[in-house]
Structures are given as C-alpha cells and as structure tokens.
Amino acid sequence: MRAALLAAWLGVSSWCAAQGGGQGAEYQVKAAFLYKFAGYVEWPEEAGGAVDAPFTIAVLGSEPLAVELQQVVSGRTLADRSVTVRRLRFGDSLAGVHVLFLGQAETPPPDQLRQWTRHRPVLVVSESEGALHAGSMINFVIVERRVRFEIALDTAEANGLRLSSRLLAVAQKVTAAGAP
C-alpha cells in the first residue's frame, strides 16, 4: 500500500514538474522528494541525537531549493520531530544533519565529498551528472522532462543507512557507486 502511494505521488510530482515548466516547479518537486525520502530511510540510533532535536535537512548551493524546502516542511514532522532546513557551506559541520542536498553549482570534488561525509549517517542527495560516483547516495535526474532519481545503495549502506525496498522500487536506477 505504502509503495503504491509513493509511486502515485512520484508520478503526480514529476508530472507537475514537466507540465509546470521552469525551474520553480522543478525546485518544488525536488523539495518534496527531499522531505519524502526521509520516510524511507532507516538511520542508526546514534544519528537521532537528543530526543527533542529537530530532523535537519541541510542545503548546500541552492538557495531557491532551500526556500521551497522551507515551505514544504513548514509545520511538518518526521519521526515525531520538527523538521528544520539549514543552509551550509562546504566544510561546515554535519553534526545534527540527517539529509544533505548538494546543489549542482556547489558539488565538491569526489575525494573531498567522501572525506566530509565518510562514516556519517547523513543521506547525501545531489543533482549533478556523475554524482553517485562522487559519493552521493541519491541523485536527481531529468528523464523525459520529469524529475526522477537514481540510487547508490552501497554508498548509503557504507554510511550506516538502510534504504527501504519501496524507495528502491521507484528509483530510475539502483547501482553500486562505482558501477556505470
């Protein structure tokens, strides 16, 4: 049932992006995905932090997406926690961050990204070609004018994250990070 709902939501969201045209609609869809992805990820216990700590989605290099995301999460919760959006610069502390979005203009070099996120239970989401090979776990792609995503399962698992089979089932592609 939940997988069917995700698939239906995926279709409506990506259709809206295609029909709405422009980057504004694309940012809206990506922001909604960022929020929804969190419900399909199991973090290790140590990732939760204090009981009253918010669930944090950080954005690097995409102010328009950060603005859309703030609207999407306003008044919502994840795992009984309030949701907050944090803007980051490369190298800032990832303490308390659950999801990290890397805008296309700010994706760090692969070795630096891997070092920054290595062994941290942070879901790294990007929007750049080849980002899965650089250490991202989920990468947005545009397929036939629709927002879709691909997943590097082994990278997520190496950082202690378990992705739901429901999320994997609706991905455009699931690979090992080093695989083409």
Side-chain angles (χ1 to χ4, degrees):
M1 172 76 167
R2 195 169 178 197
L5 289 174
L6 177 63
W9 178 83
L10 235 172
V12 170
S13 295
S14 58
W15 178 83
C16 290
Q19 298 305 310
Q23 274 194 309
E26 184 178 328
Y27 291 135
Q28 289 172 345
V29 171
K30 288 179 179 179
F33 273 137
L34 284 172
Y35 172 74
K36 290 288 189 182
F37 285 157
Y40 295 91
V41 177
E42 184 180 316
W43 275 266
E45 274 189 48
E46 68 271 10
V51 175
D52 59 347
F55 186 94
T56 302
I57 303 173
V59 177
L60 172 73
S62 183
E63 184 59 26
L65 186 117
V67 169
E68 287 295 336
L69 184 58
Q70 189 63 55
Q71 292 177 5
V72 166
V73 304
S74 180
R76 295 190 183 204
T77 61
L78 281 167
D80 297 324
R81 296 169 178 250
S82 63
V83 182
T84 187
V85 176
R86 197 167 118 197
R87 288 143 175 98
L88 290 182
R89 289 182 295 202
F90 179 70
D92 285 352
S93 171
L94 293 176
V97 172
H98 296 87
V99 177
L100 170 63
F101 176 77
L102 303 171
Q104 191 169 14
E106 294 292 326
T107 301
D111 58 331
Q112 292 177 9
L113 176 59
R114 284 189 190 101
Q115 185 175 355
W116 190 33
T117 60
R118 183 185 325 263
H119 306 299
R120 292 185 188 351
V122 175
L123 180 69
V124 180
V125 182
S126 56
E127 61 179 357
S128 301
E129 187 175 329
L132 294 184
H133 301 289
S136 179
M137 299 163 194
I138 298 178
N139 187 54
F140 288 119
V141 293
I142 304 297
V143 178
E144 297 177 4
R145 296 180 6 176
R146 294 175 183 226
V147 176
R148 299 287 191 211
F149 58 91
E150 53 192 10
I151 296 174
L153 187 57
D154 62 339
T155 304
E157 290 174 348
N159 284 37
L161 304 178
R162 295 189 59 191
L163 304 184
S164 167
S165 60
R166 294 178 181 120
L167 183 62
L168 300 175
V170 295
Q172 179 72 24
K173 181 169 131 183
V174 177
T175 65

